[in-house]
């Protein structure tokens, strides 16, 4: 059990007296009640935040939850009067930003109280609409998922774990490979990326009740993922899932679940969340002190992705036009982009477009597949920005001399506004995947071959 | 430093008195001097061996070296008289078999003394010829490599190590994947299979001076392997190499090297040696008590391979005839056969025959590549006997319904005489690789395309 001290009962004392008392009690986690005279967002907010931050930091404390006063102050998310409701929402938005500034990952919000002259149903509509608007702000600022993610990752780390298993099949195991690579090259955490169906039968000797198993699934119903999650749970391991659809068998089965909501770009969202999950594990092991800055930049990523996709759009279209009849591609990648390379070849070109595609790791390219390259072979190079880039450069130099059909997709071509130089290599995974998706869209159009079309998958039993 | 007690100085006491003394001294490793009256191979050998074995076992001791008397008894490997030399060789052969029976992995043999009437050079020829003949016997009985392998593996284990890195490129990393799989599913030893060129740049955080790094190379000159071995050595890690050619840069660089001698089937030999290396590590961690029996069966493997190759030969030829113009194959494998699947597609079909080939893991097959299977697609299934076989069965059921060009290469079809049921799954790796090689030979003939032909590899700089 963990305790946090709250300052509401100290509202007739100065804030520092409250902190002194917590120190004496050995409590270093604080639930910050935001109300007069300690901090009120409509009076000297900036100064208050600055002072509180300094005090908290100097005492090695942490604000685990930010709770704006909402019972006695004149704000009510369920109010019948639309103007009052509007000003109440504004008040909470203001507080969300204060919480962000205080590096807190949780904000407590209650429903408000419906007007007694209207039905419960009507008030419910008002309050749920208000909370929806707040959640959109929180989501945009990364607070929503960040709070949840840090909450469960910290809990797991505190409890202790032995290793991390990244489990999936097809696209969802490919999506894990970047994080396996990132962990291997940045952390001493013991990590294993395993294909679900194989994992189930292989008696993996490193897997135990002390393992943390991470899954992703758009539908939350993928058979093999479900079976693997059930297997892990039965063995007493800790299970985490990122799922797009709410209320699925997978969301219900795992110990910790983030439901992202159903949308077109679930994979892009999964990437963002996986950054937060994986780097939080590293942070908790004192292997990633830049975590705070990194997480802020994760929130800038959606915009960077949007800009990258825009700037790549024309190139994607040109590729699709040029290659609409090409029946074979080689795709080469390395390091944290190997997963995307493998996935795009198998799950997009092969599965969704029925085009033969060989994915080959840059470090392996010169040990076999190179012999197939002739003057018109299509070779697609996925270049990222991690330590393995020189391996890609070498492949590039070679193929540029042999074939005229080289396509280079290089994350260095994208600006990634606001992203620090040191983090670009990590975010390259996400950027690369997003721009590849544009190629898919244009291939679908140019080849008149729907991305949804399947000969067998979910068309027949096997 | 490790001590072993030797019984030669106790030759005027009964053997058991010697063992009692060793026990009192706390010495449990014995160098067994084989001479009268303790044990002499030409008098009551079988009874002596039986007694010694029982005594050694009941005292929890171990014979670490077997040293037949060779200074004062009338045997001389360097003798000028060919008959005396012959009887001396016979004497040592007899002793080698005694050593095998005593489960000792080392036999001490000295050069003998040349006749003073002939030149040093001539005597050298005699002695080296004698020792060569003995080494052939030892090799046939698996004693030669076994002794060496157990020697260095035990030394490493005693010194302590943190994890094992299996490093290679192309065929030599593919060859490691089976052992990575075997370790993962049978042992808690921390294992990492890494592609050499990527490993060099990725700052693998699990790699340290406490890592054991294993390499294989036919030529001993493969650039990337050499560079990786040098890198590992510089970082203070322990390095082991299996190399076909003697006196190569790689043999000289590593801490422990087994030179197998140059021959056509180096890969087959590497597989055998890797079994011994990997399972010895497991044995030393108390995770493979069947080691003794297993190693005996490794020695039966060459014959099992030969028989498998013979019985597969016709099928290999038929395949090559049928598929001489096939320009694309899918190869599916799983578990400890995934490495062979990946390797045969890339290093044989693509590199040596310039045929497009996609290797796909059985656990991944249904997540993309299946959509490309149509009624005439060539699908090659490599079926082994480990836990993942049901995954292959599933793929088999599916493709049998879709295409008429399914080729199943199943180790269950081969007898593997003398191999225990429980070890078949491990040896399937070796058997599978050997029979695949027959396909290569016939493809070469049918397609009139030399297996040595390269467009680029070692034809140009890149």
């Amino acid at each position: 059990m963990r305790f946090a001290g709250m300052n509401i009962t100290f509202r007739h004392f100065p804030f520092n007296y409250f902190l002194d008392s917590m120190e004496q009690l050995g409590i270093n986690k604080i639930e910050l009640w935001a109300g007069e005279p300690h901090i009120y967002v409509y009076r000297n907010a900036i100064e208050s935040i600055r002072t509180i931050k300094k005090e908290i930091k100097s005492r090695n404390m942490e604000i685990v939850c930010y709770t704006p006063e909402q019972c006695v102050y004149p704000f009510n998310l369920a109010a019948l009067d639309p103007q009052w409701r509007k000003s109440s929402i504004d008040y909470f938005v203001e507080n969300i930003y204060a919480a962000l500034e205080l590096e807190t990952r949780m904000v407590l919000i209650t429903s408000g109280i419906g007007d007694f002259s209207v039905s419960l149903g009507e008030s419910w509509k008002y309050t749920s609409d208000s909370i929806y608007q707040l959640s959109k702000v929180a989501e945009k600022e990364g607070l929503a998922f960040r709070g949840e993610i840090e909450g469960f990752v910290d809990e797991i780390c505190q409890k202790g774990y032995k290793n991390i298993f990244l489990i999936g099949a097809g696209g969802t195991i490919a999506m894990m490979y970047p994080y396996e690579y990132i962990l291997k090259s940045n952390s001493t955490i013991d990590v294993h990326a395993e294909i679900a169906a194989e994992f189930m039968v292989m008696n993996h000797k490193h897997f135990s009740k002390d393992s943390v198993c991470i899954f992703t699934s758009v539908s939350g119903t993928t058979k093999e993922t479900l079976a693997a999650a059930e297997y892990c749970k039965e063995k007493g391991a800790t299970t985490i899932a990122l799922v797009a659809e709410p209320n699925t068998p997978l969301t219900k089965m795992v110990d910790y679940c983030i439901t992202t909501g159903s949308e077109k770009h679930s994979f892009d969202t999964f990437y963002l969340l996986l950054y937060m999950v994986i780097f939080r594990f590293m942070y908790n092991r004192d292997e990633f002190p830049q975590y705070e800055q990194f997480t802020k930049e994760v929130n800038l990523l959606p915009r960077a992705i949007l800009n990258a996709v825009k700037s790549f759009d024309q190139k994607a279209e040109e590729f699709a036009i040029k290659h609409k009849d090409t029946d074979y591609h080689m795709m080469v990648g390395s390091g944290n982009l190997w997963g995307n390379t493998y996935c795009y070849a198998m799950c997009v070109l092969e599965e969704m477009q029925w085009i033969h595609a060989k994915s080959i790791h840059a470090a392996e390219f010169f040990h076999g597949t190179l012999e197939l390259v002739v003057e018109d072979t299509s070779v697609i190079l996925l270049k990222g920005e991690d330590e393995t880039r020189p391996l890609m450069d070498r492949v590039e130099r070679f193929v540029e001399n042999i074939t005229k059909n080289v396509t280079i997709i290089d994350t260095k071509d994208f600006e990634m506004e606001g992203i620090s130089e040191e983090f670009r290599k990590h975010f390259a995974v996400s950027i690369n995947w997003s721009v590849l998706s544009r190629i898919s869209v244009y291939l679908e159009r140019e080849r008149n071959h729907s991305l949804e079309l399947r000969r067998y998958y979910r068309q027949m039993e096997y």
Side-chain angles (χ1 to χ4, degrees), chain A:
Chain A
M1 199 185 293
R2 291 189 288 168
F3 290 94
M6 193 184 194
N7 54 316
I8 189 167
T9 47
F10 285 75
R11 68 187 175 280
H12 301 296
F13 295 93
F15 187 65
N16 279 357
Y17 176 76
F18 158 69
L19 292 181
D20 291 342
S21 307
M22 292 305 108
E23 262 188 338
Q24 279 170 31
L25 291 167
I27 290 175
N28 64 356
K29 300 203 187 303
I30 302 301
E31 177 175 352
L32 183 69
W33 166 76
E36 291 286 18
H38 294 170
I39 169 175
Y40 182 53
V41 287
Y42 290 138
R43 189 180 63 84
N44 298 338
I46 298 168
E47 189 193 332
S48 309
I49 287 169
R50 201 180 153 80
T51 313
I52 291 175
K53 242 175 145 167
K54 215 178 75 192
E55 287 297 330
I56 290 284
K57 202 170 173 179
S58 74
R59 293 165 201 255
N60 260 325
M61 288 176 158
E62 189 192 350
I63 301 173
V64 294
C65 184
Y66 178 102
T67 303
E69 172 52 47
Q70 50 203 277
C71 298
V72 300
Y73 288 2
F75 304 106
N76 184 359
L77 292 173
L80 177 63
D81 177 342
Q83 291 204 335
W84 189 23
R85 227 161 51 231
K86 171 75 172 58
S87 72
S88 301
I89 291 169
D90 289 347
Y91 168 72
F92 279 101
V93 168
E94 208 59 34
N95 275 291
I96 284 173
Y97 281 99
L100 279 168
E101 274 309 297
L102 288 163
E103 295 175 4
T104 307
R105 58 174 196 246
M106 246 188 286
V107 175
L108 190 142
I109 291 171
T110 52
S111 62
I113 297 174
D115 198 290
F116 289 2
S117 71
V118 298
S119 72
L120 209 62
E122 194 174 338
S123 294
W124 176 255
K125 209 173 79 49
Y126 297 143
T127 198
S128 67
D129 176 70
S130 300
I131 291 175
Y132 175 78
Q133 289 186 49
L134 293 176
S135 71
K136 281 286 134 190
V137 174
E139 190 178 323
K140 180 173 138 266
E141 298 301 338
L143 194 75
F145 294 136
R146 185 179 170 183
E148 245 179 297
I149 288 171
E150 294 182 359
F152 67 70
V153 172
D154 293 358
E155 195 172 307
I156 292 166
C157 292
Q158 196 162 48
K159 206 176 62 182
Y161 68 98
K162 212 179 134 205
N163 48 33
I164 296 180
F165 276 76
L166 307 170
I167 302 169
T172 61
I173 186 62
M175 147 174 296
M176 295 301 189
Y177 292 145
Y179 300 95
E180 184 195 30
Y181 176 88
I182 286 170
L183 278 171
K184 277 182 176 183
S185 62
N186 290 280
S187 165
T188 59
I189 295 170
D190 187 25
V191 62
H192 303 268
E194 301 292 346
I195 310 167
E198 183 167 74
F199 172 72
M200 295 276 296
V201 294
M202 76 184 285
N203 304 316
H204 203 302
K205 285 286 189 285
H206 292 270
F207 172 71
S208 73
K209 66 173 180 44
D210 300 317
S211 299
V212 177
C213 306
I214 307 180
F215 306 87
T216 67
S217 172
V218 175
S219 67
T221 61
T222 322
K223 264 188 205 168
E224 281 151 294
T225 305
L226 266 176
E230 194 169 8
Y231 172 85
C232 295
K233 224 177 138 56
E234 267 170 18
K235 305 276 177 182
T238 302
T239 49
I240 300 172
L242 310 180
V243 186
E245 299 284 344
N247 298 317
T248 66
L250 186 59
T251 50
K252 286 171 198 159
M253 186 185 299
V254 295
D255 298 318
Y256 304 102
C257 186
I258 302 262
T259 311
T260 61
S262 165
E263 48 160 341
K264 213 178 159 188
H265 300 290
S266 300
F267 266 44
D268 294 327
T269 309
F270 288 164
Y271 279 123
L272 301 201
L273 299 178
L274 284 171
Y275 285 125
M276 295 169 81
V277 172
I278 296 301
F279 282 83
R280 185 68 180 184
F281 273 108
M282 281 164 52
Y283 169 77
N284 283 345
R285 194 177 273 231
D286 294 330
E287 291 179 331
F288 193 63
Q290 318 96 303
Y291 175 80
E292 190 55 46
Q293 181 60 27
F294 179 80
T295 309
K296 274 186 189 149
E297 295 186 18
V298 170
N299 293 319
L300 300 178
L301 204 43
R303 197 174 49 196
I305 288 174
L306 204 66
N307 289 335
V309 165
K310 266 188 209 160
S311 83
F312 184 73
D313 194 72
Q314 195 189 334
K315 197 169 166 183
E317 188 173 15
E318 284 164 8
F319 175 91
I321 292 169
K322 178 175 174 186
H323 286 292
K324 76 189 180 64
D325 297 319
T326 302
D327 59 0
Y328 174 84
H329 298 278
M330 270 181 205
M331 291 197 68
V332 188
S334 69
N336 65 21
L337 289 192
W338 167 245
N340 290 5
T341 313
Y342 170 78
C343 187
Y344 199 80
M346 179 171 79
C347 303
V348 180
L349 294 179
E350 293 191 334
E351 182 174 32
M352 300 185 180
Q353 288 294 303
W354 306 355
I355 301 171
H356 288 94
K358 172 96 177 187
S359 49
I360 177 80
H361 195 290
E364 288 283 83
F365 180 79
F366 293 105
H367 295 271
T369 309
L370 86 159
E371 296 293 337
L372 291 175
V373 182
V374 287
E375 60 164 6
D376 61 349
T377 309
S378 167
V379 182
I380 304 168
L381 306 178
L382 303 189
K383 295 185 76 173
E385 301 175 42
D386 69 16
E387 311 72 27
T388 65
R389 190 174 166 92
L391 307 180
M392 291 299 296
D393 290 337
R394 190 175 173 217
V395 176
E396 182 181 341
R397 281 195 302 274
F398 174 81
V399 294
E400 288 281 20
N401 271 329
I402 311 288
T403 163
K404 53 185 194 305
N405 277 330
V406 179
T407 306
I408 298 169
I409 300 172
D410 188 346
T411 59
K412 276 211 173 167
D413 293 342
F414 306 115
E415 194 195 350
M416 302 195 209
E417 195 189 335
I419 304 292
S420 307
E421 191 56 34
E422 64 169 324
F423 300 144
R424 284 184 61 101
K425 65 175 178 181
H426 302 312
F427 294 137
V429 179
S430 200
I431 296 279
N432 172 273
W433 187 254
S434 308
V435 302
L436 282 173
S437 307
R438 291 312 293 165
I439 292 186
S440 319
V441 171
Y442 286 114
L443 280 177
E444 178 176 47
R445 187 191 74 188
E446 289 302 313
R447 306 181 74 246
N448 194 21
H449 182 122
S450 163
L451 293 165
E452 309 290 329
L453 192 63
R454 298 289 181 278
R455 282 194 177 104
Y456 312 112
Y457 185 61
R458 291 189 173 169
Q459 304 299 312
M460 60 186 278
E461 280 296 315
Y462 44 78

